[in-house]
Amino acid sequence: MITKIRVLIVDDESSARSNLMNMLHSHCPIAEILGIAESVQEAQVLLENHKPDILFLDVQLQDGTGFDLLDCISRIDFNVIFITAFDEFAIKAFRYNAVDYLLKPIDPEELVSAFHKASQRINHHDLEIQMSNLIKSASNNNFDRIVLPTSDGMVFVHTGDIIRLKALEIIVLYS
């Protein structure tokens, strides 16, 4: 099953929003558009109600800038791709840890490249969370068994019974 990548779009130009949505549907089929906003205020509400993986963010909005939006968020736990007609804000965008900075009109190849970069960051972050949870569980002794693959299927083994694990061989001490 392919995991969808949750996307929010914040741009004050209706045609730019429509164009980006169409390009995402055509070129990035795993993008799931959760919502669109045209102002900082609308975007804040969307971000509170949805947990996007990627935020496509215009620099100039109706009631402020994309930077204003990011400044009022306590924790940016999503990837930001700026979309704008202004190239002079690129350095500032990367100071906000932006994944990419796309100039309008958006080139489809650049969009796909930016989306791919953000997807890689998401996958890497998910793996880090899984490893952190595993380490936390192990250190708290929250589990006493692990599942090990064998040629006959899977075997549940009590962690206290394991002396050593070796590739292609499981050595278990039974008491």
Side-chain angles (χ1 to χ4, degrees):
M1 183 176 138
I2 296 174
T3 303
K4 292 284 190 176
I5 295 184
R6 301 174 315 266
V7 171
L8 289 178
I9 297 171
V10 179
D11 196 314
D12 61 342
E13 297 175 47
S14 176
S15 60
R17 290 191 308 268
S18 296
N19 185 41
L20 180 57
M21 286 190 302
N22 290 335
M23 290 174 73
L24 286 170
H25 286 302
S26 298
H27 301 287
C28 306
I30 63 170
E32 176 186 3
I33 300 171
L34 301 174
I36 58 171
E38 58 186 47
S39 67
V40 171
Q41 187 175 11
E42 286 179 9
Q44 283 179 292
V45 172
L46 274 179
L47 286 168
E48 288 172 12
N49 294 327
H50 301 285
K51 298 295 180 210
D53 297 311
I54 301 173
L55 174 66
F56 285 94
L57 182 60
D58 191 4
V59 172
Q60 297 293 333
L61 301 169
Q62 290 180 347
D63 57 350
T65 68
F67 302 114
D68 296 333
L69 173 64
L70 296 177
D71 286 340
C72 65
I73 296 171
S74 60
R75 183 169 174 233
I76 300 173
D77 55 356
F78 47 84
N79 292 279
V80 179
I81 298 174
F82 279 93
I83 46 171
T84 184
F86 306 100
D87 62 356
E88 66 263 21
F89 297 107
I91 293 172
K92 186 173 183 178
F94 288 111
R95 287 187 181 135
Y96 281 81
N97 203 24
V99 173
D100 214 328
Y101 191 90
L102 303 177
L103 291 175
K104 296 176 184 176
I106 298 171
D107 178 272
E109 289 180 15
E110 290 179 4
L111 174 65
V112 169
S113 175
F115 189 85
H116 180 70
K117 279 193 273 187
S119 299
Q120 287 181 320
R121 281 189 181 186
I122 293 162
N123 292 335
H124 181 72
H125 180 70
D126 289 347
L127 183 59
E128 284 177 350
I129 290 171
Q130 289 172 357
M131 292 302 291
S132 174
N133 288 340
L134 178 62
I135 291 167
K136 185 186 221 180
S137 293
S139 66
N140 292 337
N141 294 320
N142 285 344
F143 64 88
D144 63 348
R145 298 185 295 164
I146 61 171
V147 179
L148 299 171
T150 69
S151 58
D152 297 326
M154 300 294 199
V155 173
F156 287 88
V157 179
H158 288 277
T159 56
D161 293 341
I162 299 172
I163 295 174
R164 174 176 45 137
L165 294 176
K166 183 178 177 183
L168 302 176
E169 183 180 10
I170 300 173
I171 300 171
V172 180
L173 174 65
Y174 293 99
S175 31

